PDB file of all heavy atoms in Angstrom:
ATOM      1  N   ARG V 103       9.253  36.551   6.812  1.00  0.00           N
ATOM      2  CA  ARG V 103      10.414  37.372   7.157  1.00  0.00           C
ATOM      3  C   ARG V 103       9.976  38.391   8.195  1.00  0.00           C
ATOM      4  O   ARG V 103       9.087  39.225   7.943  1.00  0.00           O
ATOM      5  CB  ARG V 103      10.965  38.061   5.912  1.00  0.00           C
ATOM      6  CG  ARG V 103      12.235  38.867   6.129  1.00  0.00           C
ATOM      7  CD  ARG V 103      12.960  39.043   4.820  1.00  0.00           C
ATOM      8  NE  ARG V 103      13.417  37.736   4.321  1.00  0.00           N
ATOM      9  CZ  ARG V 103      13.606  37.464   3.023  1.00  0.00           C
ATOM     10  NH1 ARG V 103      13.374  38.387   2.110  1.00  0.00           N
ATOM     11  NH2 ARG V 103      14.020  36.262   2.671  1.00  0.00           N
ATOM     12  N   LEU V 104      10.575  38.305   9.371  1.00  0.00           N
ATOM     13  CA  LEU V 104      10.243  39.194  10.475  1.00  0.00           C
ATOM     14  C   LEU V 104      11.326  40.255  10.594  1.00  0.00           C
ATOM     15  O   LEU V 104      12.511  39.937  10.684  1.00  0.00           O
ATOM     16  CB  LEU V 104      10.108  38.409  11.784  1.00  0.00           C
ATOM     17  CG  LEU V 104       9.189  37.176  11.752  1.00  0.00           C
ATOM     18  CD1 LEU V 104       9.113  36.554  13.133  1.00  0.00           C
ATOM     19  CD2 LEU V 104       7.792  37.547  11.248  1.00  0.00           C
ATOM     20  N   LEU V 105      10.928  41.504  10.602  1.00  0.00           N
ATOM     21  CA  LEU V 105      11.857  42.626  10.726  1.00  0.00           C
ATOM     22  C   LEU V 105      11.435  43.511  11.894  1.00  0.00           C
ATOM     23  O   LEU V 105      10.256  43.552  12.244  1.00  0.00           O
ATOM     24  CB  LEU V 105      11.883  43.428   9.416  1.00  0.00           C
ATOM     25  CG  LEU V 105      12.376  42.685   8.165  1.00  0.00           C
ATOM     26  CD1 LEU V 105      12.265  43.586   6.933  1.00  0.00           C
ATOM     27  CD2 LEU V 105      13.797  42.189   8.335  1.00  0.00           C
ATOM     28  N   PRO V 106      12.385  44.196  12.553  1.00  0.00           N
ATOM     29  CA  PRO V 106      13.758  44.461  12.113  1.00  0.00           C
ATOM     30  C   PRO V 106      14.702  43.314  12.452  1.00  0.00           C
ATOM     31  O   PRO V 106      14.620  42.726  13.525  1.00  0.00           O
ATOM     32  CB  PRO V 106      14.138  45.709  12.902  1.00  0.00           C
ATOM     33  CG  PRO V 106      13.346  45.569  14.173  1.00  0.00           C
ATOM     34  CD  PRO V 106      12.039  44.943  13.782  1.00  0.00           C
ATOM     35  N   GLU V 107      15.601  43.016  11.521  1.00  0.00           N
ATOM     36  CA  GLU V 107      16.635  42.020  11.764  1.00  0.00           C
ATOM     37  C   GLU V 107      17.885  42.721  12.273  1.00  0.00           C
ATOM     38  O   GLU V 107      18.201  43.832  11.855  1.00  0.00           O
ATOM     39  CB  GLU V 107      16.949  41.249  10.478  1.00  0.00           C
ATOM     40  CG  GLU V 107      17.898  40.082  10.682  1.00  0.00           C
ATOM     41  CD  GLU V 107      18.078  39.256   9.417  1.00  0.00           C
ATOM     42  OE1 GLU V 107      17.545  39.659   8.371  1.00  0.00           O
ATOM     43  OE2 GLU V 107      18.739  38.207   9.479  1.00  0.00           O
ATOM     44  N   GLY V 108      18.594  42.095  13.171  1.00  0.00           N
ATOM     45  CA  GLY V 108      19.812  42.676  13.713  1.00  0.00           C
ATOM     46  C   GLY V 108      19.603  43.567  14.916  1.00  0.00           C
ATOM     47  O   GLY V 108      20.563  44.063  15.501  1.00  0.00           O
ATOM     48  N   VAL V 109      18.339  43.774  15.317  1.00  0.00           N
ATOM     49  CA  VAL V 109      18.035  44.559  16.513  1.00  0.00           C
ATOM     50  C   VAL V 109      17.887  43.603  17.699  1.00  0.00           C
ATOM     51  O   VAL V 109      17.096  42.659  17.641  1.00  0.00           O
ATOM     52  CB  VAL V 109      16.750  45.385  16.325  1.00  0.00           C
ATOM     53  CG1 VAL V 109      16.368  46.083  17.620  1.00  0.00           C
ATOM     54  CG2 VAL V 109      16.933  46.406  15.210  1.00  0.00           C
ATOM     55  N   ALA V 110      18.652  43.831  18.744  1.00  0.00           N
ATOM     56  CA  ALA V 110      18.545  43.001  19.951  1.00  0.00           C
ATOM     57  C   ALA V 110      17.513  43.617  20.883  1.00  0.00           C
ATOM     58  O   ALA V 110      17.672  44.759  21.327  1.00  0.00           O
ATOM     59  CB  ALA V 110      19.906  42.899  20.639  1.00  0.00           C
ATOM     60  N   PHE V 111      16.446  42.875  21.157  1.00  0.00           N
ATOM     61  CA  PHE V 111      15.386  43.394  22.020  1.00  0.00           C
ATOM     62  C   PHE V 111      15.800  43.261  23.481  1.00  0.00           C
ATOM     63  O   PHE V 111      16.463  42.300  23.882  1.00  0.00           O
ATOM     64  CB  PHE V 111      14.085  42.632  21.767  1.00  0.00           C
ATOM     65  CG  PHE V 111      13.657  42.630  20.324  1.00  0.00           C
ATOM     66  CD1 PHE V 111      13.463  41.441  19.638  1.00  0.00           C
ATOM     67  CD2 PHE V 111      13.461  43.818  19.637  1.00  0.00           C
ATOM     68  CE1 PHE V 111      13.084  41.425  18.313  1.00  0.00           C
ATOM     69  CE2 PHE V 111      13.078  43.821  18.316  1.00  0.00           C
ATOM     70  CZ  PHE V 111      12.898  42.624  17.643  1.00  0.00           C
TER      71      PHE V 111
END
Side-chain angles (χ1 to χ4, degrees):
R103 184 158 295 153
L104 309 183
L105 298 177
E107 187 174 6
V109 174
F111 305 122

